[in-house]
Amino acid sequence: MPVYLIADVTVTDDAWVPGYAAKVHEIAAKHGGRYLSRSGNIQTIEGAPLGSTLIALIEFPTREAVTAFANDPEYAPFAEGRKKGSVSNFHVIDDTDLAGGIPYLPKG
């Protein structure tokens, strides 16, 4: 079952960004990850603005693949740089429908 990693990032020191942007998509791909978006064009249409400077959406084939990506030793120095130079919240969701009313999604 596909899952989606939502990375909500507020950059506080952009020194880590060039290296991360250049290499991390390759590490994610090694684990079956595919970026669907990596954008700073964030528009809030309801509720309070997040204050984020970047939101990335990455599709992975399984939760195990996300865990393998997050624990990959090759990713570790990039994650460390990101954590030092940002406030980051990473969330994983699956493709289910909690209410069960959308016929093309599995019931959650």
Side-chain angles (χ1 to χ4, degrees):
M1 166 186 305
V3 296
Y4 304 90
L5 172 62
I6 303 166
D8 171 12
V9 179
T10 302
V11 176
T12 56
D13 176 358
D14 63 2
W16 62 275
V17 174
Y20 196 99
K23 296 299 285 181
V24 170
H25 65 95
E26 295 170 4
I27 302 167
K30 183 170 80 170
H31 298 282
R34 183 173 73 93
Y35 275 78
L36 302 178
S37 179
R38 181 172 66 185
S39 180
N41 297 321
I42 303 163
Q43 177 186 10
T44 300
I45 60 170
E46 187 173 322
L50 292 174
S52 305
T53 52
L54 170 75
I55 296 177
L57 178 61
I58 310 169
E59 180 182 49
F60 284 89
T62 63
R63 286 185 186 269
E64 293 79 15
V66 174
T67 301
F69 162 70
N71 293 326
D72 187 319
E74 187 180 359
Y75 178 59
F78 296 103
E80 183 179 336
R82 176 186 44 77
K83 289 174 186 177
K84 286 181 180 175
S86 74
V87 176
S88 300
N89 298 292
F90 280 32
H91 309 280
V92 178
I93 60 171
D94 60 23
D95 70 345
T96 61
D97 173 19
L98 186 62
I102 300 174
Y104 55 84
L105 290 178
K107 187 172 181 177

